[in-house]
Amino acid sequence: AGGPAPLLALTVALRTLNCFLVQTSFVPDEYWQSLEVAHRMLNINNYGYLTWEWANGLRGYSYPLIFASIYKALQLLAKDDVQLLIWVPRLAQAVLAAFADVKLYSLVRHLENAETAKCVYFCQLCSWFTWYSCTRTLTNTMETLLTIFALSYYPIKGSKMGSSCKYLALIAFAIVIRPTAVIPWIPLVFSHFLQEQRKADLILHNCIPVGLVTVGTSLIIDRVFFGEWVLVQLNFLKFNVLQNLGTFYGSHPWHWYFTQGLPVILGTHLPFFIHGCVLAPKRYHIFLMAVIWTVLVYSTLSHKEFRFIYPVLPLCMFFCGYSLKHLKAWKKSAASFLLLSNLLPALYTGLIHQRGSLDVMSHIQQLCNNSYQSQAFVFIMMPCHSTPFYSHVHCPLKMRFLQCPPDLTGNESYIDEADVFYSNPLGWLNKEFYNDTLLPSHLIFFSVLEQEISSFLALRGYEKTATVFHTHVPQGRVGSHIYVYRKKTEMNH
């Protein structure tokens, strides 16, 4: 690896390839909390959909605004073709990820030496989970990238690159995008505060101005789009921590991050991470503290997901690289092992696992070109938010999906629409579409549902027009394939 410029070019090329080799869906938030919102912000005709989080002011517009700007630029250039709307935001994320990778390299090179920096950079590029996540339009991805940028200005002992103002501004921006970004930084900022001679200066000249500017900017952006003053971060905290309503989306045992979360996202890097932690000099213990502290804090919340701890993965990569560098005679074999053992999970999760919910969108996109777009009505009968929505269709097609907002009124017997539907799909369909004029022109659902609603499909004159592969590990309501059914009479009009 040469200096940062050739390295950056190489990394951008790699992350661009990475972007095109990730064609699967991970979690609904990838679209529903970023692209769908951006698409809605852009549209003058106001077609688009905002989830309940937006109705309740739990999310801020600062992050979607980045994508809305990209959409606006494409629109002004008359290039707002649906494929560009899908890929350009992801390519932008890929370029940012490349910059972050190079920042990580430069940081380690500055703290240690070029040799260790190469090892950390190699570990970062090998990580299957980073490959899987870093080009996605998730708030967790942005939070992770901003964490790397902030780390490169963090005044660790022995670093001359430290800039309190820059790193605090980057953390503040990350917190605006996702309030939980504050978690990994609590031990880091506290440690910086303890070793800082001019404590009052740090607070008065850095923390307070940075905080005021970021919160102020985020408040104004949200005021413009919500149409009223909303302090999103406070609402987010109330919902997820004080009311613990996140459990609505599932809960896990307290030890989940230690026994599954961290081991899975680290994958075969795990032994290197442990070895690196043992080897690393004392001044890097603060990085390890940040990792442990973050995992502990998230362990106290009952709703757990792999992506929540993604922001500490680059810190883990630092220790993995440190270990790799010290393996002297074994270094080449270890590097080959890391590369090969991460290649398969990266390609499998990126190209195969859960790809149906994106592939099926191309069948819906085709309805936009047809002359009967005005008569088309697509009903997605899948667990809610299984697929993206208007950001991947980009025409005012009539679409509907099963709703599943949590109950915020404290009603004990509340059941969401998706649960009601799944408790008796056939009965629900007959009741909902009691009249033929109400019937959707297209039904989209997972293969596991077909048997149960076959009589409805036959009676109402639906025929299967497409079968889309989704996953090798179907679970519960999620089938291995997605079926597209069309009402036969449509073609005769």
Side-chain angles (χ1 to χ4, degrees):
L7 186 66
L8 183 61
L10 169 78
T11 318
V12 169
L14 264 167
R15 288 301 181 206
T16 304
L17 175 70
N18 183 167
C19 178
F20 290 116
L21 289 178
V22 174
Q23 298 177 20
T24 52
S25 63
F26 179 13
V27 283
D29 279 16
E30 188 176 343
Y31 320 103
W32 291 91
Q33 307 301 351
S34 54
L35 300 184
E36 294 306 327
V37 184
H39 195 266
R40 172 69 190 262
M41 287 159 82
L42 175 79
N43 265 304
I44 319 103
N45 320 348
N46 234 348
Y47 73 90
Y49 186 89
L50 293 179
T51 57
W52 63 273
E53 285 101 331
W54 297 87
N56 292 287
L58 288 181
R59 295 275 195 272
Y61 281 97
S62 305
Y63 184 55
L65 186 58
I66 299 170
F67 302 113
S69 314
I70 293 175
Y71 285 169
K72 190 69 192 167
L74 288 170
Q75 194 185 47
L76 293 172
L77 296 166
K79 292 270 187 272
D80 55 341
D81 162 70
V82 68
Q83 289 306 320
L84 286 175
L85 292 184
I86 292 170
W87 288 102
V88 175
R90 301 182 54 181
L91 281 166
Q93 202 85 47
V95 171
L96 264 179
F99 271 93
D101 294 338
V102 174
K103 263 293 191 222
L104 187 63
Y105 170 84
S106 305
L107 168 70
V108 183
R109 188 175 174 163
H110 173 78
L111 290 175
E112 283 290 313
N113 49 48
E115 191 56 33
T116 313
K118 278 180 202 170
C119 292
V120 173
Y121 173 79
F122 176 80
C123 288
Q124 170 75 355
L125 287 186
C126 273
S127 161
W128 80 269
F129 192 79
T130 301
W131 178 272
Y132 181 63
S133 310
C134 75
T135 62
R136 296 183 185 273
T137 49
L138 272 167
T139 48
N140 311 83
T141 300
M142 198 58 151
E143 181 189 353
T144 306
L145 301 181
L146 287 169
T147 295
I148 297 179
F149 290 132
L151 273 175
S152 65
Y153 297 111
Y154 177 74
I156 187 166
K157 285 191 185 81
S159 161
K160 297 175 198 64
M161 281 161 68
S163 158
S164 305
C165 199
K166 282 182 185 168
Y167 98 86
L168 289 167
L170 286 158
I171 301 168
F173 182 43
I175 293 167
V176 163
I177 286 175
R178 195 173 171 84
T180 51
V182 70
I183 299 169
W185 285 97
I186 291 172
L188 289 159
V189 174
F190 187 63
S191 157
H192 172 206
F193 182 73
L194 289 182
Q195 68 188 28
E196 181 66 52
Q197 265 83 49
R198 306 186 298 274
K199 290 184 175 39
D201 271 8
L202 179 66
I203 291 173
L204 292 172
H205 297 151
N206 290 310
C207 297
I208 292 175
V210 162
L212 288 175
V213 170
T214 8
V215 172
T217 311
S218 122
L219 264 174
I220 292 163
I221 292 171
D222 289 334
R223 171 77 180 80
V224 171
F225 291 102
F226 278 117
E228 56 183 357
W229 294 106
V230 177
L231 188 54
V232 173
Q233 291 75 15
L234 189 68
N235 294 345
F236 185 90
L237 185 79
K238 262 203 301 220
F239 177 87
N240 285 303
V241 182
L242 306 177
Q243 297 172 298
N244 202 7
L245 286 167
T247 47
F248 182 78
Y249 292 107
S251 56
H252 295 81
W254 66 268
H255 54 76
W256 188 84
Y257 284 118
F258 291 99
T259 52
Q260 280 176 54
L262 201 57
V264 167
I265 71 168
L266 274 168
T268 51
H269 284 74
L270 185 62
F272 297 91
F273 170 63
I274 296 168
H275 180 229
C277 290
V278 175
L279 279 187
K282 193 161 169 247
R283 68 184 183 132
Y284 300 130
H285 287 176
I286 185 62
F287 291 164
L288 182 58
M289 266 292 300
V291 174
I292 295 169
W293 159 262
T294 304
V295 176
L296 282 172
V297 171
Y298 274 118
S299 296
T300 63
L301 298 172
S302 46
H303 178 59
K304 298 175 174 65
E305 290 185 41
F306 292 114
R307 64 190 173 108
F308 291 171
I309 54 170
Y310 176 34
V312 298
L313 196 57
L315 285 171
C316 298
M317 289 306 134
F318 174 80
F319 291 105
C320 297
Y322 201 86
S323 155
L324 189 60
K325 189 223 169 218
H326 288 83
L327 287 175
K328 300 193 175 49
W330 291 93
K331 196 158 100 182
K332 278 223 161 83
S333 334
S336 310
F337 163 73
L338 273 177
L339 185 62
L340 293 171
S341 60
N342 278 275
L343 198 61
L344 274 171
L347 291 174
Y348 180 78
T349 55
L351 290 171
I352 299 167
H353 179 59
Q354 293 185 6
R355 67 169 298 147
S357 45
L358 291 182
D359 288 348
V360 79
M361 297 313 286
S362 58
H363 294 275
I364 301 178
Q365 284 157 17
Q366 286 159 16
L367 301 177
C368 291
N369 324 340
N370 283 342
S371 47
Y372 72 89
Q373 182 199 313
S374 51
Q375 285 120 38
F377 169 23
V378 178
F379 185 23
I380 301 169
M381 301 190 293
M382 290 151 86
C384 55
H385 309 128
S386 286
T387 62
F389 217 47
Y390 286 109
S391 68
H392 284 52
V393 178
H394 196 50
C395 78
L397 199 61
K398 186 180 179 194
M399 296 201 290
R400 176 181 172 188
F401 64 93
L402 297 167
Q403 306 276 344
C404 60
D407 171 57
L408 301 172
T409 58
N411 172 8
E412 292 293 312
S413 56
Y414 170 79
I415 306 174
D416 67 58
E417 183 182 49
D419 283 344
V420 176
F421 169 82
Y422 280 106
S423 62
N424 178 7
L426 193 59
W428 189 93
L429 287 169
N430 286 324
K431 191 173 153 193
E432 191 73 13
F433 304 115
Y434 57 87
N435 184 331
D436 271 11
T437 55
L438 303 170
L439 287 169
S441 64
H442 292 74
L443 296 176
I444 294 175
F445 52 86
F446 279 119
S447 47
V448 284
L449 199 61
E450 189 180 44
Q451 199 62 49
E452 221 170 330
I453 59 169
S454 53
S455 59
F456 174 86
L457 298 169
L459 204 64
R460 296 295 201 282
Y462 283 98
E463 59 180 346
K464 191 189 298 184
T465 57
T467 299
V468 179
F469 171 77
H470 183 62
T471 178
H472 287 124
V473 276
Q475 280 177 317
R477 297 171 180 180
V478 177
S480 61
H481 290 75
I482 295 171
Y483 293 152
V484 179
Y485 269 80
R486 185 182 65 198
K487 203 161 164 16
K488 283 177 197 155
T489 52
E490 281 306 315
M491 296 320 285
N492 311 337
H493 286 321

